[in-house]
Amino acid sequence: MTTRDRKPGVRRASGPPRGRQGPARPPEPDLPRRAALELLRAVRVRDSYANLALPAILRRHELRDRDAGLATEIGYGTLRAQGLLDAVIEHCTDRPLVKVEPALLDALRLGAYQLLRMRVPAHAAVHATVELVREDSGSRPAGFVNAVLRRVGEHDEAAWVARLAPDAAEDPLGHAAFAHAHPRWIAQAFADALGGVGELDAALAADDARPVVHLLARPGEITAEELALATGGTEGPYSPYAVHLDAGSGAIGDLDAVSEGLAVVQDEGSQLVALALTRAATSGEDTGRWLDLCAGPGGKAVLLGGLAVMDGVTVDAVELGEHRAELVRKAVDGLPVTVHHADGREAPLPDAAFDRVLVDAPCTGLGALRRRPEARWRRTPEDVPGLAKLQRELLTAALRHVRPGGVVAYVTCSPHLSETVGVVTGVARRQKAELLDARDLLPGVPDLGAGPTVQLWPHRHGTDAMFLSVLRRT
């Protein structure tokens, strides 16, 4: 048939003839899962902190809102559950995990988390993970990942716990540690601080849950009520400056109140322990000076600086790390806070010159594991003695800088007894210091124990596991 023989108005279709297909279009990239996988690799390869690495990854992939929330949930969740996931994966492979290529293990953890702890259809979780591996490593590794994940998906999380965890009756601590993805030594530290295993399951479950975002409404800049209205959050139950946002609320830095400096991210427990310092009764004549001896990255210095404006006092803030000291300077810009780049044990500041001193001491961070998901698998028991020594030295320095009748708040984001009661009782015994009942400084906060020190808990208070002790120099 010639061209002029064709019927008018009918055009031959462009493209390949019927029955034949052109080149397949490449699949759309799964950017949230890709971002989560990049986060796992950053933590593994560069020892990155997840909360610092993830924002840059989200920006690079231009992920916002629901996609950013999905990437965060998968990435943080996988890091948080790593021990449990590894036990299940190893049971489903024919080789020990040390023989699995690290990049493939990252992908296996990513897929296993979706299968066991997310409402993702099994076929979707497996397919999405396998495709990521195929893009990165080829078909053969993808086949290995596919086979292992299909075995993982044969049982749900509860069934795997029943199969692999220590017996709950014979070893309740070991069972709780496995079920809630905590190293046994950390579960033991929690049990010691709680006085037994009675609350351990609830404590570890709360510590393993996706945390609510807490904001600090900067004193004098915005009220908690105004901040809650501006962000769609709710006012915190205990701190007058706290606002809670639902988990998965997207990029917090994009909130107008945060980007404009009216609010900062800060756990309500951190707010409470800083407020306790300002509420403690002093004796003698005030100097009008407060001290934050371990200030980086600056959250508590912001709160103290805002309150200092109201009280007509000034704050000195000390930070050893140069980068962290610069973060403090930026955070307290416009507040009556002077930042010193120095070691808190040897700060170039006068003795007996401050009314109130905060020691937010470097610690294992066991109290903030829900917000620092990689930390539970990075810390070891061997970290504790060196940190406890540093903590004793910092508390001793604080008591040197506070005037007679002034107060020191010793704070750690850890419930480990060697970092909390062990530090405080030893230093107070050697120094001229009186332990005050810290419970009196947290009005309205329930379940604070027998005193005089206070241990906050995720399952009791919805906060990080912050420890507080207040000492007055005699």
Side-chain angles (χ1 to χ4, degrees), residues 366-443:
L366 302 188
L369 296 179
R370 59 190 189 144
R371 302 193 189 279
R372 299 168 189 166
E374 75 287 344
R376 70 183 67 182
W377 311 111
R378 186 175 282 174
R379 284 295 189 187
T380 69
E382 290 70 34
D383 295 329
V384 176
L387 285 166
K389 178 177 182 294
L390 172 61
Q391 292 155 359
R392 291 191 295 269
E393 292 169 350
L394 286 166
L395 180 54
T396 300
L399 287 167
R400 185 174 69 247
H401 288 299
V402 75
R403 66 170 176 78
V407 291
V408 173
Y410 173 77
V411 173
T412 66
C413 193
S414 170
H416 199 296
L417 293 180
S418 295
E419 299 185 86
T420 58
V421 176
V423 169
V424 171
T425 54
V427 173
R429 187 169 54 247
R430 290 190 297 272
Q431 306 293 323
K432 296 179 179 180
E434 170 193 5
L435 272 175
L436 304 182
D437 195 331
R439 297 174 299 174
D440 297 337
L441 309 176
L442 302 179

Side-chain angles (χ1 to χ4, degrees), residues 208-226:
D208 202 30
R210 191 177 183 185
V212 171
V213 177
H214 293 183
L215 297 179
L216 167 74
R218 290 184 58 160
E221 299 288 342
I222 190 172
T223 67
E225 180 181 14
E226 292 167 340

Side-chain angles (χ1 to χ4, degrees), residues 285-291 314 316 349-357 398-404 406 473:
E285 186 176 352
D286 281 347
T287 64
R289 298 181 70 181
W290 298 351
L291 173 61
T314 62
D316 286 88
L349 295 168
D351 293 346
F354 297 90
D355 304 315
R356 304 176 189 275
V357 181
L399 287 167
R400 185 174 69 247
H401 288 299
V402 75
R403 66 170 176 78
R473 182 177 172 185

Side-chain angles (χ1 to χ4, degrees), residues 210-215 231-234 243-250 252 255:
R210 191 177 183 185
V212 171
V213 177
H214 293 183
L215 297 179
T231 59
T234 58
V243 169
H244 295 184
L245 302 179
D246 291 337
S249 298
I252 303 303
L255 294 172

Side-chain angles (χ1 to χ4, degrees), residues 329-343:
R329 290 189 183 94
K330 292 179 180 178
V332 301
D333 184 41
L335 295 173
V337 179
T338 302
V339 180
H340 307 268
H341 176 211
D343 187 329

